Coordinates of all heavy atoms in Angstrom, one line a residue:
M258 N -1.7 -18.6 -32.2 CA -1.1 -19.9 -32.5 C -0.8 -20.0 -34.0 O 0.2 -20.5 -34.4 CB -2.1 -21.0 -32.1 CG -1.6 -22.4 -32.4 SD -0.2 -22.8 -31.4 CE -0.9 -23.2 -29.9
E259 N -1.8 -19.5 -34.8 CA -1.6 -19.7 -36.3 C -0.4 -18.9 -36.8 O 0.4 -19.4 -37.6 CB -2.9 -19.2 -37.0 CG -2.8 -19.4 -38.5 CD -4.2 -18.9 -39.1 OE1 -5.2 -19.1 -38.5 OE2 -4.1 -18.5 -40.3
A260 N -0.1 -17.8 -36.3 CA 1.0 -16.9 -36.8 C 2.3 -17.2 -36.1 O 3.4 -17.2 -36.7 CB 0.7 -15.5 -36.6
L261 N 2.3 -17.6 -34.8 CA 3.5 -17.7 -34.0 C 3.9 -19.1 -33.7 O 5.0 -19.4 -33.4 CB 3.4 -16.9 -32.7 CG 2.9 -15.5 -32.8 CD1 2.8 -14.8 -31.4 CD2 3.9 -14.7 -33.7
G262 N 2.9 -20.1 -33.7 CA 3.2 -21.4 -33.2 C 3.2 -21.5 -31.7 O 3.0 -20.5 -31.0
K263 N 3.3 -22.7 -31.2 CA 3.3 -22.9 -29.7 C 4.6 -22.3 -29.1 O 5.7 -22.7 -29.6 CB 3.1 -24.3 -29.4 CG 3.0 -24.6 -27.9 CD 2.8 -26.1 -27.6 CE 2.6 -26.4 -26.2 NZ 3.7 -26.0 -25.3
L264 N 4.5 -21.5 -28.1 CA 5.6 -20.9 -27.4 C 5.6 -21.3 -26.0 O 4.6 -21.7 -25.4 CB 5.6 -19.4 -27.6 CG 5.8 -18.9 -29.0 CD1 5.6 -17.4 -29.1 CD2 7.1 -19.3 -29.6
D265 N 6.8 -21.2 -25.3 CA 7.0 -21.8 -24.0 C 6.4 -21.0 -22.9 O 6.0 -21.6 -21.8 CB 8.5 -22.0 -23.7 CG 9.1 -23.1 -24.6 OD1 8.3 -23.9 -25.1 OD2 10.3 -23.0 -24.9
N266 N 6.2 -19.7 -23.0 CA 5.7 -18.9 -21.9 C 5.0 -17.7 -22.4 O 5.2 -17.3 -23.6 CB 6.8 -18.6 -20.9 CG 7.9 -17.8 -21.5 OD1 7.8 -16.7 -21.9 ND2 9.1 -18.5 -21.6
G267 N 4.3 -17.0 -21.5 CA 3.6 -15.8 -21.9 C 4.5 -14.7 -22.3 O 4.1 -13.8 -23.2
G268 N 5.7 -14.6 -21.8 CA 6.6 -13.5 -22.1 C 7.0 -13.7 -23.6 O 7.1 -12.7 -24.3
A269 N 7.3 -14.9 -24.0 CA 7.7 -15.2 -25.4 C 6.5 -14.9 -26.3 O 6.8 -14.4 -27.4 CB 8.1 -16.7 -25.5
I270 N 5.3 -15.2 -25.9 CA 4.2 -15.0 -26.8 C 4.0 -13.4 -27.0 O 3.8 -13.0 -28.1 CB 2.9 -15.5 -26.1 CG1 3.0 -17.1 -26.1 CG2 1.6 -15.1 -26.9 CD1 1.9 -17.7 -25.3
L271 N 4.1 -12.7 -25.9 CA 3.9 -11.2 -26.0 C 5.0 -10.6 -26.8 O 4.8 -9.7 -27.7 CB 3.9 -10.6 -24.6 CG 2.6 -10.5 -23.8 CD1 2.8 -9.9 -22.5 CD2 1.6 -9.8 -24.6
S272 N 6.2 -11.1 -26.6 CA 7.4 -10.6 -27.4 C 7.2 -10.9 -28.9 O 7.3 -9.9 -29.7 CB 8.7 -11.2 -26.9 OG 9.8 -10.7 -27.6
A273 N 6.8 -12.1 -29.2 CA 6.6 -12.5 -30.6 C 5.4 -11.8 -31.2 O 5.5 -11.3 -32.4 CB 6.5 -14.0 -30.7
A274 N 4.4 -11.6 -30.4 CA 3.2 -10.9 -30.9 C 3.4 -9.5 -31.2 O 3.0 -8.9 -32.2 CB 2.0 -11.1 -29.9
S275 N 4.2 -8.8 -30.3 CA 4.6 -7.4 -30.5 C 5.4 -7.2 -31.8 O 5.1 -6.3 -32.5 CB 5.4 -6.9 -29.3 OG 4.6 -7.0 -28.1
Y276 N 6.3 -8.1 -32.0 CA 7.1 -8.0 -33.2 C 6.3 -8.3 -34.4 O 6.4 -7.6 -35.5 CB 8.3 -9.0 -33.1 CG 9.3 -8.9 -34.3 CD1 10.3 -7.9 -34.2 CD2 9.1 -9.7 -35.4 CE1 11.2 -7.8 -35.3 CE2 10.0 -9.5 -36.5 CZ 11.0 -8.6 -36.4 OH 11.9 -8.4 -37.5
Y277 N 5.4 -9.3 -34.4 CA 4.5 -9.6 -35.5 C 3.6 -8.4 -35.9 O 3.4 -8.1 -37.0 CB 3.7 -10.8 -35.2 CG 2.7 -11.3 -36.3 CD1 3.2 -12.2 -37.2 CD2 1.4 -10.8 -36.3 CE1 2.3 -12.6 -38.3 CE2 0.6 -11.2 -37.3 CZ 1.0 -12.1 -38.3 OH 0.2 -12.5 -39.3
L278 N 3.1 -7.7 -34.8 CA 2.1 -6.7 -35.0 C 2.8 -5.3 -35.4 O 2.2 -4.5 -36.1 CB 1.2 -6.5 -33.8 CG 0.3 -7.6 -33.5 CD1 -0.3 -7.5 -32.1 CD2 -0.8 -7.8 -34.5
F279 N 4.0 -5.1 -34.8 CA 4.6 -3.7 -35.0 C 6.0 -3.8 -35.5 O 6.7 -2.7 -35.7 CB 4.6 -3.0 -33.6 CG 3.3 -2.6 -33.1 CD1 2.6 -3.4 -32.2 CD2 2.7 -1.5 -33.6 CE1 1.4 -3.0 -31.7 CE2 1.4 -1.1 -33.2 CZ 0.8 -1.8 -32.2
G280 N 6.5 -5.0 -35.8 CA 7.9 -5.1 -36.3 C 8.9 -4.8 -35.1 O 8.6 -5.0 -34.0
S281 N 10.0 -4.2 -35.4 CA 11.0 -4.0 -34.4 C 10.5 -3.0 -33.4 O 11.0 -3.0 -32.2 CB 12.3 -3.4 -35.1 OG 12.0 -2.2 -35.8

Side-chain angles (χ1 to χ4, degrees):
M258 181 68 79
E259 184 176 328
L261 308 179
K263 185 178 183 300
L264 297 174
D265 293 334
N266 58 69
I270 293 171
L271 274 180
S272 181
S275 299
Y276 186 84
Y277 180 89
L278 294 169
F279 291 99
S281 58

